[in-house]
Amino acid sequence: MTNEPIDLAAALTRFDQLWSPRIVTRVNDYDVRIAKVAGEHVWHTHDHTDEFFLVLEGELRIALRDQPAEREVVLPRGAVFVVPRGVAHRPSSAGGASILMFEPSGTSSVGDRHDDVPAQVDATTGHPL
Ligand code: NI
């Protein structure tokens, strides 16, 4: 953790692993995390917290089970979206994206409940940048 300004574009050059969030800073008891993503994440649910997404590059899609029918939101670069606590969701990006997430420190990337975690997804509470 640093007390200096953080250049997110530079931070994104410091790692390549997909679906493996890096903690860039903390705000009270929340992490600001960035991740590179491509392909599909896993269906999962955070029982105790909302999850904030900001798309830095590319396009992110988030499939949601918050209605009787499953739906998918499309987030272009610059879009923000909050997945409410308790809502099953599965992020994906066909063309690849870089994203920023804001959530309580210790929040698992695969939630409290999830389907089988595929090999390309890192189940983590976030790594140091
Ligand atoms: Ni999530």
Side-chain angles (χ1 to χ4, degrees), residues 75-87:
L75 285 70
R77 182 169 68 89
V80 302
F81 186 77
V82 175
V83 176
R85 72 186 67 190
V87 171

Side-chain angles (χ1 to χ4, degrees), residues 41 44-46 51 53 83 89 91 101 103 107-111:
H41 196 74
H44 67 280
T45 305
H46 305 278
E51 187 168 47
F53 291 86
V83 176
H89 56 286
M101 288 160 290
E103 53 202 330
T107 299
S108 169
S109 60
V110 296

Side-chain angles (χ1 to χ4, degrees), residues 18-77:
L18 299 176
W19 299 117
S20 183
R22 300 303 197 261
I23 299 167
V24 293
T25 191
R26 292 203 168 94
V27 182
N28 296 316
D29 52 356
Y30 273 62
D31 289 343
V32 177
R33 303 179 186 174
I34 55 174
K36 292 180 174 177
V37 306
E40 288 191 347
H41 196 74
V42 62
W43 278 106
H44 67 280
T45 305
H46 305 278
D47 288 328
H48 307 294
T49 182
D50 301 343
E51 187 168 47
F52 171 93
F53 291 86
L54 161 65
V55 178
L56 302 172
E57 300 285 349
E59 181 184 271
L60 182 73
R61 291 170 176 257
I62 305 178
L64 298 162
R65 292 175 177 154
D66 64 347
Q67 296 175 358
E70 197 174 297
R71 69 179 178 124
E72 187 173 63
V73 292
V74 179
L75 285 70
R77 182 169 68 89

